[in-house]
Amino acid sequence: MAALRGLPSVEKLAASDALKSFPHATAVRAARQVISDARRAVRQHGTGTPRTEIDFETLVRQAREVAAADTRPAIRPAINATGVLLHTNLGRATLAPAAAAAVETVAGGHASLEVDEETGARGSRQAGIARLLCELTGAEDAYVVNNNAAATFLAVAGVAGGREVVLSRGQMVEIGGQFRLPEVIESAGARLVEVGTTNRTRIGDYERAMTDRTAMLLRVHPSNYRIVGFTEEASLEELIALGRARGVTVGDDIGSGALIDLSPFGLRDEPLIRDSVAAGADLIWFSGDKLLGGPQAGILIGTTSVLAPLKRHPLARALRPDKLTLAGLEATLRIYRSGDPWQEIPVLRRIARSPEEILAACGRVARALREALPGFRIDLSATLSEVGGGSLPGASLPSWAVAIEGEGSDDLARRLRRADRPVYGRMEKGRYLLDLRAVDEFEEAALIETFRSIADG
């Protein structure tokens, strides 16, 4: 076909001025992909259609986009203007500056990870973390693994492997990635015994289900959904009393890991870690990268008699975190002990931001975007933010957003996602919203620059 013969060679396209800033191998790969796509379009649609009439400059632009994407890190800093503070796809909690600095410090060199300072012999990589967690929660002992799913797996395998776990039907959760609690319990080598109904489970249901093979009474906080209406559930105190009477371990998966009370901001349904410890749960576990505001981790706390065997379990080594996680977590916990978590822990600071402060930020950003995007209508819009990350389902915080409206807003969102410093907002009723509750003031300049770069491109 004439259209195929008219396509340039890979060498000619790769040698174009627009691709000279990229490594030669990258330019060749990009040129080869673009030309291959063009050939495929011609063969599928024939000649003389808008899809196949592609000039050299169009191919150059496409090749440059492919080359830029090829050299760009897959994981790179992004701006979260979605209105979801703990956005799982955007990495959940962002670290406090002190925690980020601690990670950077130990990442670039050797670190005193498992060395006993007195003897010089091998020590515990988690001794310092455990002391901080016990001080902050009142627990006897603590252990950290790489995420809360791992904590669940280790807790069940170590306490109830080969035996039974009793759980209410209303707490058989599924979280992101099709992580289903019943399947995790089965994979950990335990048998799940379901009690009660979806909406009502009483302490008597647990008691009647117990046998000589029962190893754990498990409570799971429904952190990513809510059951309302005609409901009832056994309290943690009732489970603990029953467990003690029958000599059975009580486990409490509280999910999001709140160390301080969020109720002053209208967020009242998240259990506090200290309350579970004070109630007497034998084993409690939660995430490090949600309301705690630290790095991804699964944190187990509880009695020494229950945790000691878990630390020796064969799975413990497979699930242990690395030095970067431990450094970030330790620095985060030190803020709770001696700093100002409401100011220093980003997720807490963002929860506490007033609507008036967010409105002022929206005004600053909107003024700049009106200059960068003259073809769009840009207004301010009252909205609601969510905590997200499987925390506080149904709870929201009053917020403000920059609303961008006009033809091509979907394409604008796509181009923002593909930028060197991507911006993520959300579409709502035909408008593209930038909720700035999770955007710190120092990020505003980068957000505006991303829009300008797209407008110039």
Side-chain angles (χ1 to χ4, degrees):
M1 291 182 185
L4 291 177
R5 290 194 299 271
L7 292 172
S9 67
V10 170
E11 292 77 10
K12 180 179 179 181
L13 185 56
S16 62
D17 290 342
L19 293 174
K20 285 183 177 178
S21 61
F22 298 99
H24 179 67
T26 300
V28 169
R29 280 196 303 272
R32 185 174 291 120
Q33 178 180 325
V34 166
I35 291 173
S36 176
D37 291 345
R39 286 197 187 103
R40 189 178 303 110
V42 169
R43 287 172 179 147
Q44 287 178 350
H45 303 284
T47 60
T49 69
R51 296 180 66 108
T52 58
E53 292 177 353
I54 303 174
D55 60 24
F56 183 74
E57 291 305 317
T58 299
L59 293 173
V60 168
R61 178 179 55 79
Q62 293 174 345
R64 180 174 176 80
E65 290 179 358
V66 171
D70 187 40
T71 56
R72 205 163 44 216
I75 301 176
R76 58 194 190 278
I79 295 174
N80 176 15
T82 64
V84 180
L85 305 189
L86 296 171
H87 199 299
T88 299
N89 298 348
L90 299 179
R92 289 188 181 164
T94 59
L95 294 182
V103 172
E104 183 178 6
T105 298
V106 303
H110 294 97
S112 54
L113 181 64
E114 289 186 355
V115 180
D116 186 295
E117 293 181 354
E118 294 298 323
T119 66
R122 184 170 183 170
S124 168
R125 68 171 53 195
Q126 297 207 21
I129 289 281
R131 284 193 295 271
L132 282 167
L133 284 166
C134 291
E135 180 180 341
L136 291 167
T137 66
E140 292 180 10
D141 203 357
Y143 190 70
V144 179
V145 292
N146 53 34
N147 60 24
N148 202 45
T152 303
F153 197 80
L154 180 60
V156 173
V159 172
R163 300 177 69 191
E164 296 176 348
V165 174
V166 182
L167 175 68
S168 167
R169 286 186 173 89
Q171 297 173 5
M172 292 193 294
V173 302
E174 176 182 324
I175 62 173
Q178 297 184 348
F179 172 86
R180 290 181 171 178
L181 188 58
E183 294 170 3
V184 173
I185 291 173
E186 181 181 353
S187 298
R191 176 176 176 266
L192 173 63
V193 178
E194 305 172 13
V195 296
T197 62
T198 301
N199 61 318
R200 293 177 73 85
T201 304
R202 304 174 180 86
I203 193 63
D205 296 319
Y206 292 89
E207 189 169 10
R208 286 188 294 274
M210 296 178 72
T211 69
D212 57 1
R213 292 182 56 78
T214 302
M216 180 185 287
L217 301 178
L218 176 58
R219 183 183 81 155
V220 177
H221 177 60
S223 56
N224 64 351
Y225 68 97
R226 178 183 294 171
I227 299 174
V228 298
F230 189 58
T231 64
E232 182 179 352
E233 64 178 13
S235 68
L236 180 61
E237 289 76 11
E238 289 176 313
L239 288 175
I240 291 167
L242 177 59
R244 288 177 177 170
R246 303 287 288 270
V248 171
T249 298
V250 175
D252 192 17
D253 178 354
I254 61 176
S256 295
L259 267 176
I260 55 180
D261 185 13
L262 303 177
S263 61
F265 303 97
L267 307 176
R268 297 183 174 85
D269 295 330
E270 196 65 35
L272 293 175
I273 299 167
R274 268 192 169 275
D275 290 348
S276 291
V277 175
D282 301 298
L283 188 61
I284 302 155
W285 57 95
F286 49 91
S287 294
D289 59 343
K290 293 184 180 178
L291 293 175
L292 187 70
Q296 177 181 296
I299 301 170
L300 298 111
I301 60 174
T303 63
T304 301
S305 61
V306 174
L307 271 168
L310 298 188
K311 295 180 180 181
R312 298 190 298 268
H313 195 282
L315 282 170
R317 184 175 180 85
L319 302 176
R320 72 181 185 179
D322 69 351
K323 65 179 181 180
L324 306 184
T325 298
L326 293 174
L329 180 58
E330 179 182 353
T332 301
L333 294 173
R334 288 187 181 279
I335 292 172
Y336 281 97
R337 187 180 72 170
S338 55
D340 182 356
W342 285 111
Q343 286 300 315
E344 297 179 59
I345 303 291
V347 66
L348 298 180
R349 185 177 67 247
R350 292 162 185 164
I351 287 173
R353 289 185 79 182
S354 69
E356 292 75 19
E357 179 186 349
I358 301 167
L359 177 60
C362 288
R364 293 192 296 269
V365 170
R367 284 191 292 273
L369 295 191
R370 288 186 184 109
E371 296 179 5
L373 302 173
F376 291 85
R377 178 178 175 178
I378 297 175
D379 296 310
L380 305 185
S381 178
T383 188
L384 295 172
S385 301
E386 299 176 11
V387 176
S391 304
L392 297 156
S396 59
L397 296 161
S399 188
W400 283 88
V402 178
I404 302 173
E405 188 173 3
E407 186 177 350
S409 55
D410 286 336
D411 182 63
L412 175 67
R414 181 189 64 82
R415 295 171 67 191
L416 288 167
R417 293 193 298 269
R418 293 170 60 89
D420 290 338
R421 180 72 180 271
V423 172
Y424 291 86
R426 71 176 189 270
M427 295 299 300
E428 187 175 287
K429 298 180 180 178
R431 300 184 302 168
Y432 185 66
L433 297 186
L434 300 170
D435 184 330
L436 299 190
R437 178 174 284 277
V439 179
D440 293 325
E441 187 171 350
F442 71 86
E443 294 180 294
E444 291 174 18
L447 184 154
I448 293 166
E449 180 55 35
T450 295
F451 273 89
R452 286 175 175 160
S453 66
I454 288 174
D456 294 341

